[in-house]
Amino acid sequence: MVVTIIGAGMMGSALAFPAAENGHEVRLVGSPLDDDIIDACTATGRHPKFERDFPKGVKYYKVGDWRKAVEGCDFVIGGVSSFGVDWFGDEILANLNPSIPVLSVTKGLINLEDGTLISYPDYWRKNLLAKGIDRHICAVGGSCTSYELVFKDHTAVTYCGAKSADLKLIKEAMSAPYYHISLTNDVIGLESAVALKNAYALAVAMTIGLVYRNHGKDAGLHYNSQSSVFGQAAREMARFIAIQGGTQESLNVGIADLYVTIYGGRTRKVGILLGEGKSCKEALEILAGETLESLVVVRRVAKAIYRKAELGEVSLSDFPLLCHANEVIENGKDAELPWESFTYDYTE
Amino acid sequence: MVVTIIGAGMMGSALAFPAAENGHEVRLVGSPLDDDIIDACTATGRHPKFERDFPKGVKYYKVGDWRKAVEGCDFVIGGVSSFGVDWFGDEILANLNPSIPVLSVTKGLINLEDGTLISYPDYWRKNLLAKGIDRHICAVGGSCTSYELVFKDHTAVTYCGAKSADLKLIKEAMSAPYYHISLTNDVIGLESAVALKNAYALAVAMTIGLVYRNHGKDAGLHYNSQSSVFGQAAREMARFIAIQGGTQESLNVGIADLYVTIYGGRTRKVGILLGEGKSCKEALEILAGETLESLVVVRRVAKAIYRKAELGEVSLSDFPLLCHANEVIENGKDAELPWESFTYDYTE
């Protein structure tokens, strides 16, 4: 097969590995921001952020050549970041033969006025339909960092989409001994789950900072409090995914992703700083230059829930953890958690 | 109120803190194995394993005085380990006024011949009914290590039992600013969830050892593979708790407990050793002297599932991770995970 990846960020580029190792021709196309990356790949055969060369069978294209790169391809992988969503929709999807399947790695949700949060595949579909183009876009969920995929750590992902035949075709091309692919038609559930985990990972990480604040920096890690908040995160994620119309299986993918997101990187750092008592502004200054997706997701999901509550569709008391995190971020509320609001009484 | 705790292990003894801080009289009674602990408590006012003195209002009793210690008490907390289950049932419960509520902290499941796994409250109830005694026993679930409770890290637990009035009474006595109590009638679901998490934490920890084995000891932690197995653990726990007739909320408690169990202590250690390629016997030698509850739980749950499969009630293919862990432990199977068996296709 011929696989065209558009967007040479880390995640899109990492998918060149299983695809090319499976013997497919892979065409990696930079976005308008990726010219330097494509130059480097062409010169060295390696992505500047990776520690392994690309396998044989990968060809590199700058954005101006994207039409050449999709000629005769079996499917396209969209590898843009959330900042490239409109460019990808308007420039690529609107001009790509609708019979070519597309798998997008871009993660996120978009707020509508009525409190609905829609997925990028849904957003693109609506915009394309307005232009008279009928196409569904597939997407990816699950915990998959690009470094570890390139390292060949065993990785499980779920591909979601409305068209099962597209999903099966792409799975066949991409499956590798270390890359294990499940399939579902539940796009909104899966995309909601993977977005939510960023918001809730921040909330769980706040407990770490709270322990430092309440017991001193040398108090170390304490798991009773982390577990309490992890449980509450699971409860609220389940409620939100049910509202979104998603499945239990997609919730599970989000919970597994939550587990690892707490342990790594920027989301953990900002959560700890907020827990220690830093304001959101101070935390952003300390982590200067880092993209904090988790803050965006907290705000978007909270906005959706507040709007749905105004419309009488949800009760805010079902989401005390998310509302708390949003208040900490938006209004400088003290980070100490509303612990008793997490308890329940299910006795008869 | 007067609260009598029978069994002076760490968990039972830790519960003396919130109870006594709430102004109740607390009577801590040693089991037949706890004479030295009671002597130490009487001499120093501190449990030998804790770094804080007991609060005022705690009195200490050796096992011979247990009848005196329950005189006029409002409820009893059973603090024996799983080795003390029969002693607690035969010596205490069979001779205790059935109108006194009992909350047990002992965790575990017991296999019946037909593949059923029952909780300790159910086990005690059956044995007591055979003696003509009609009593229900309440139990505790949730992630609560005794050290962290004594440290006053925020802790969320769920009390379960058939008698809601008992649960409410005990909650009222025990709730503290750092000890947050939820209630449910779902005894079997909650007790199953907290037992299962030990088995599945071992399975997730195996991925850490597998990375060492496949990529070298300096490969560090990798989260793609941990997340894959965490997701599969969540799926299998959900299936098993559904078979047990438990609720989604009890599953959540188990998942939150799974999250922290992977990060701490003996279960993690044995999982890593097995992943690295050590046999179960070698792992036990390396960890000599440590009690490995997780191995017991894997065997018990696997035994139940194999028996239910024989009876045509479950499909083993719904539990590939648990069966794999059991094969590694029992039959020396290589620890490399059956990754593809964790994928699913839920498309139509």
Side-chain angles (χ1 to χ4, degrees):
Chain A
M1 293 195 217
V2 176
V3 181
T4 302
I5 301 169
I6 299 184
M10 293 177 72
M11 197 61 234
S13 303
L15 291 174
F17 285 80
E21 286 163 8
N22 284 343
H24 307 306
E25 178 181 330
V26 176
R27 300 170 183 168
L28 181 62
V29 185
S31 77
L33 304 172
D34 295 338
D35 278 0
D36 290 351
I37 294 175
I38 295 299
D39 281 339
C41 293
T42 307
T44 66
R46 181 184 289 203
H47 189 287
K49 292 275 180 76
F50 291 156
E51 295 181 359
R52 277 181 59 210
D53 292 347
F54 280 112
K56 288 205 170 103
V58 181
K59 297 174 181 173
Y60 314 102
Y61 297 76
K62 288 196 183 163
V63 65
D65 293 329
W66 79 263
R67 285 169 195 271
K68 207 163 73 187
V70 298
E71 253 171 44
C73 80
D74 291 275
F75 62 92
V76 165
I77 294 175
V80 298
S81 78
S82 55
F83 303 107
V85 165
D86 285 321
W87 174 79
F88 189 67
D90 299 340
E91 294 301 312
I92 306 296
L93 294 176
N95 296 298
L96 183 72
N97 179 343
S99 72
I100 300 175
V102 172
L103 176 79
S104 162
V105 305
T106 319
K107 290 180 181 180
L109 295 170
I110 289 180
N111 290 77
L112 300 188
E113 179 50 36
D114 66 351
T116 310
L117 277 168
I118 63 169
S119 66
Y120 288 138
D122 200 15
Y123 175 72
W124 284 317
R125 177 165 174 75
K126 282 183 208 297
N127 291 348
L128 292 168
L129 280 174
K131 294 176 182 174
I133 301 164
D134 180 8
R135 87 136 57 237
H136 288 279
I137 293 101
C138 304
V140 185
S143 325
C144 174
T145 64
S146 54
Y147 327 84
E148 297 193 0
L149 185 64
V150 170
F151 181 82
K152 301 197 179 188
D153 190 34
H154 283 280
T155 302
V157 293
T158 302
Y159 290 176
C160 63
K163 295 176 77 174
S164 302
D166 288 359
L167 294 172
K168 286 177 207 296
L169 172 94
I170 303 173
K171 172 176 173 162
E172 196 199 321
M174 301 299 294
S175 290
Y178 56 90
Y179 188 54
H180 312 286
I181 303 166
S182 295
L183 304 180
T184 182
N185 298 129
D186 177 25
V187 179
I188 187 61
L190 190 70
E191 293 296 292
S192 299
V194 300
L196 282 173
K197 68 101 196 339
N198 271 316
Y200 284 104
L202 179 138
V204 178
M206 280 169 52
T207 61
I208 303 168
L210 282 164
V211 168
Y212 295 156
R213 175 145 68 104
N214 294 332
H215 299 282
K217 260 281 195 186
D218 57 353
L221 291 173
H222 284 75
Y223 292 106
N224 284 10
S225 51
Q226 285 188 45
S227 175
S228 304
V229 180
F230 194 95
Q232 181 62 20
R235 279 192 283 277
E236 295 189 19
M237 284 175 69
R239 288 175 189 145
F240 193 78
I241 287 168
I243 290 169
Q244 293 283 74
T247 63
Q248 169 82 33
E249 190 41 57
S250 296
L251 170 64
N252 264 345
V253 173
I255 301 269
D257 210 353
L258 176 64
Y259 160 73
V260 296
T261 305
I262 299 164
Y263 274 86
R266 300 164 296 193
T267 300
R268 178 185 175 91
K269 282 185 205 161
V270 72
I272 293 175
L273 289 168
L274 293 170
E276 288 181 304
K278 301 279 189 296
S279 71
C280 190
K281 190 163 164 284
E282 290 167 331
L284 284 170
E285 281 166 11
I286 292 169
L287 301 175
E290 303 209 43
T291 318
L292 293 168
E293 227 176 344
S294 50
L295 297 177
V296 177
V297 178
V298 169
R299 287 194 187 103
R300 287 192 181 182
V301 178
K303 191 176 162 190
I305 287 173
Y306 289 136
R307 181 71 181 125
K308 282 177 191 287
E310 273 176 12
L311 296 171
E313 295 169 11
V314 304
S315 166
L316 290 182
S317 64
D318 280 341
F319 300 95
L321 181 56
L322 188 85
C323 291
H324 176 75
N326 187 63
E327 283 291 305
V328 171
I329 291 169
E330 289 286 288
N331 301 323
K333 188 184 169 194
D334 186 276
E336 186 62 75
L337 288 152
W339 296 98
E340 277 297 316
S341 69
F342 305 157
T343 64
Y344 54 86
D345 181 346
Y346 290 160
T347 58
E348 281 170 11
Chain B
M1 292 196 219
V2 175
V3 182
T4 302
I5 301 170
I6 299 184
M10 294 177 71
M11 197 62 236
S13 303
L15 290 175
F17 285 81
E21 286 163 7
N22 285 342
H24 307 306
E25 177 181 332
V26 176
R27 302 171 184 168
L28 180 62
V29 186
S31 78
L33 304 173
D34 295 339
D35 278 359
D36 290 350
I37 294 175
I38 295 300
D39 281 339
C41 293
T42 306
T44 67
R46 181 184 288 203
H47 190 286
K49 291 278 179 73
F50 291 155
E51 296 180 358
R52 276 180 60 209
D53 291 346
F54 281 112
K56 288 205 169 105
V58 182
K59 297 175 181 172
Y60 313 101
Y61 296 75
K62 287 197 183 164
V63 67
D65 292 329
W66 79 264
R67 285 169 197 270
K68 206 165 70 186
V70 299
E71 251 171 48
C73 79
D74 291 275
F75 63 93
V76 166
I77 294 175
V80 298
S81 80
S82 53
F83 302 107
V85 165
D86 285 321
W87 174 79
F88 189 68
D90 299 340
E91 294 301 312
I92 307 297
L93 294 177
N95 296 299
L96 183 70
N97 179 343
S99 73
I100 300 176
V102 173
L103 175 80
S104 161
V105 306
T106 318
K107 291 181 182 182
L109 295 171
I110 289 181
N111 291 77
L112 301 187
E113 179 50 35
D114 66 352
T116 309
L117 279 169
I118 63 169
S119 65
Y120 287 138
D122 200 16
Y123 175 73
W124 284 316
R125 177 164 175 75
K126 281 183 209 298
N127 291 349
L128 292 169
L129 280 175
K131 295 178 184 173
I133 302 164
D134 180 9
R135 86 137 55 239
H136 288 279
I137 293 102
C138 305
V140 184
S143 323
C144 175
T145 64
S146 54
Y147 325 86
E148 296 194 359
L149 185 65
V150 171
F151 181 82
K152 302 198 181 190
D153 191 34
H154 282 280
T155 300
V157 293
T158 301
Y159 289 176
C160 61
K163 293 176 79 174
S164 303
D166 288 359
L167 294 172
K168 287 179 208 295
L169 173 92
I170 303 172
K171 171 176 173 162
E172 196 199 322
M174 301 298 294
S175 289
Y178 57 90
Y179 187 54
H180 311 286
I181 303 166
S182 296
L183 304 180
T184 181
N185 298 129
D186 178 25
V187 178
I188 186 61
L190 190 70
E191 293 298 290
S192 299
V194 301
L196 283 173
K197 68 101 198 334
N198 270 318
Y200 284 104
L202 180 137
V204 178
M206 280 170 51
T207 62
I208 302 168
L210 282 165
V211 167
Y212 295 158
R213 176 145 67 103
N214 295 333
H215 299 282
K217 261 280 194 185
D218 56 354
L221 292 172
H222 285 73
Y223 291 106
N224 285 10
S225 52
Q226 285 189 46
S227 174
S228 304
V229 180
F230 193 96
Q232 182 62 20
R235 279 192 283 278
E236 295 189 18
M237 284 174 69
R239 287 174 190 146
F240 193 78
I241 286 167
I243 290 169
Q244 294 283 76
T247 63
Q248 168 81 34
E249 190 42 56
S250 296
L251 170 64
N252 264 346
V253 173
I255 302 266
D257 210 355
L258 175 64
Y259 160 73
V260 297
T261 306
I262 299 164
Y263 273 87
R266 301 163 296 192
T267 300
R268 178 186 176 92
K269 282 185 204 161
V270 72
I272 293 174
L273 289 168
L274 293 170
E276 287 181 306
K278 300 280 187 297
S279 72
C280 190
K281 190 161 165 285
E282 290 167 331
L284 284 170
E285 282 165 12
I286 292 169
L287 302 176
E290 305 211 40
T291 317
L292 294 166
E293 228 177 344
S294 50
L295 297 176
V296 177
V297 179
V298 168
R299 286 194 188 104
R300 287 193 180 180
V301 179
K303 192 176 161 190
I305 287 174
Y306 288 137
R307 181 71 181 125
K308 281 177 191 287
E310 272 175 13
L311 297 171
E313 294 169 12
V314 304
S315 167
L316 290 181
S317 63
D318 281 340
F319 299 95
L321 180 55
L322 188 86
C323 292
H324 176 75
N326 187 62
E327 283 291 307
V328 171
I329 292 168
E330 289 287 286
N331 301 322
K333 187 184 170 195
D334 186 276
E336 186 63 76
L337 290 151
W339 297 96
E340 278 297 315
S341 69
F342 305 156
T343 63
Y344 54 87
D345 182 346
Y346 289 161
T347 58
E348 281 170 10

